[in-house]
Amino acid sequence: MNVAALHTHAAAIRNAPTWRAAGLRYFSYNYYLRKLYGRRIHKVSIDAGFTCPNVDGTVTTGGCVFCDNRSFSPSRRLPRTSIAGQIEEGIKRIKTRYKVDDFIAYFQPATNTYAPVTKLRRLYEEALAAPKVVGLAVGTRPDCVPADVLDLVSELAERTYVSLEYGMQTMHDRSLDWMNRGHRHASFLDAVARSRGRGFEICAHLILGVPGESHDDMLATARELARLNVDAVKLHNLYAVKDTPLADQVAAGRVQLMELDDYVRTVVDILEILPPTMIVERVSGESPPNYHVGPAWCLDKPALRAALEAEFTRRSTYQGRLA
Ligand code: SF4
């Protein structure tokens, strides 16, 4: 399929979603990619060695309260190799667990647009040149996408599938301040406005269970995301990993992490609000168990998925029911 046909096909899948007819409760990314490519597609993580303006002092220092780059990707714990080498190794690892032949190269840890555009082009092109890579996903901050970076991402989207993933986290500035994000919600609004209609998908990353946020505050963020109508969302609970300010606050009893029941109820409430056309890339977070501090329940993904399914069934509900 040429790229124009791919984009047309992607828009058709998103605009007339068939996931309910397929028996799903929400528009999962797996389902979307299967429809788009006609086969299973998996992301392969790349650690390109980026840092972050929220760590190196350009925006602030210390980073987000929950951030420990080591926990972002399995590749972080291996000696860093070339992009091609990381993709090859990552594909080998994934193939031991899943029957999948094609991959989206995912620039994951840190801020993956934080470099001169010539360097970004070289890194992204190297990933796209790897055998079995059929698309690109890039995780970044909303205050780190100057015009030349968006021009590059847009140009690449003329050749292949591209998703740009922004850390929105919440619409509440007081929560962004608590996290030490170093940006406000206005940055996310600006990034989305400048990214829209440029050929790549816009994905928003949300964190549930930020201290001081009520259930209604989290639903307000969901309504804001529904209003913005971005292409995709990732949801996860606030969790703590070792050697972070958050881990210290949890240990000192200053922060309570969300319980499973509350998380499940909130995720279903949020998915009811989000439009049925919004792809749900993720409903839980993950960190390597040896770095994980808590809560313990989010390491048991099958149990979390079962609890979500049970809540959807109990309520006879689905994504977009209240959209
Ligand atoms: S923006 Fe991302 S990489 Fe930077 S400190 Fe926050 S979580 Fe870490």
Side-chain angles (χ1 to χ4, degrees), residues 296-308:
W297 57 261
C298 66
L299 293 180
D300 189 349
K301 276 185 154 184
L304 174 58
R305 284 180 190 279
L308 281 169

Side-chain angles (χ1 to χ4, degrees), residues 51-55 62-64 66-69 72 109-111 141 181:
T51 178
C52 173
N54 206 28
V55 172
C64 301
F66 50 78
C67 178
D68 174 9
N69 282 354
F72 280 18
T111 298
R141 294 166 54 86
R181 281 292 294 178

Side-chain angles (χ1 to χ4, degrees), residues 50-56 60-69 72 108-112 139-143 167 169 179-183 207:
F50 287 104
T51 178
C52 173
N54 206 28
V55 172
D56 72 4
T60 182
T61 54
C64 301
V65 68
F66 50 78
C67 178
D68 174 9
N69 282 354
F72 280 18
Q108 185 176 20
T111 298
N112 293 278
T140 190
R141 294 166 54 86
D143 62 353
Q169 320 305 11
M179 290 179 209
N180 195 38
R181 281 292 294 178
H183 67 76
I207 297 179

Side-chain angles (χ1 to χ4, degrees), residues 127-170:
L128 286 171
K132 301 295 182 187
V133 167
V134 296
L136 184 69
V138 176
T140 190
R141 294 166 54 86
D143 62 353
C144 204
V145 282
D148 58 349
V149 169
L150 290 182
D151 288 346
L152 170 64
V153 175
S154 191
E155 180 195 318
L156 294 173
E158 289 172 11
R159 287 172 22 206
T160 189
Y161 169 91
V162 181
S163 170
L164 192 58
E165 178 188 322
Y166 289 123
M168 172 191 182
Q169 320 305 11
T170 169

